[in-house]
Amino acid sequence: MTGTAYRVPAYKVAPGQDVPGEDFEIIERMPVKSLVTFPANDADVGLQSDVRGHPWSGD
């Protein structure tokens, strides 16, 4: 596993920020990913709303 494949920055960075190669570490597990399927974007909701979606992880 050379190069930047399967590597992430060792600290939080802003999108597009340059990160020196020595500041990357090998990823040991995949961060949780998810899709929110309800409510839709720009939905008019009140103080409480049902939220539905699909989470998954690389673990």
Side-chain angles (χ1 to χ4, degrees), residues 1 7 9 18 36 56-57 59:
M1 294 177 35
R7 294 177 183 264
D18 287 332
V36 174
W56 67 93
S57 175
D59 286 342

Side-chain angles (χ1 to χ4, degrees), residues 3 11 14-15 18 20 23 38 44 52:
Y11 47 85
D18 287 332
D23 289 349
F38 180 85
D44 187 23
R52 293 191 300 263

Side-chain angles (χ1 to χ4, degrees), residues 7 13 22 24 28 33-34 40 42 46-47 49 52 54:
R7 294 177 183 264
V13 297
E22 63 271 8
F24 280 84
E28 295 178 358
K33 303 285 186 172
S34 63
D42 300 323
L47 294 176
S49 181
R52 293 191 300 263
H54 304 280

Side-chain angles (χ1 to χ4, degrees), residues 6-36:
Y6 300 102
R7 294 177 183 264
V8 294
Y11 47 85
K12 291 184 178 186
V13 297
Q17 180 179 339
D18 287 332
V19 179
E22 63 271 8
D23 289 349
F24 280 84
E25 58 187 22
I26 295 172
I27 192 166
E28 295 178 358
R29 63 184 216 189
M30 295 298 289
V32 173
K33 303 285 186 172
S34 63
L35 296 172
V36 174

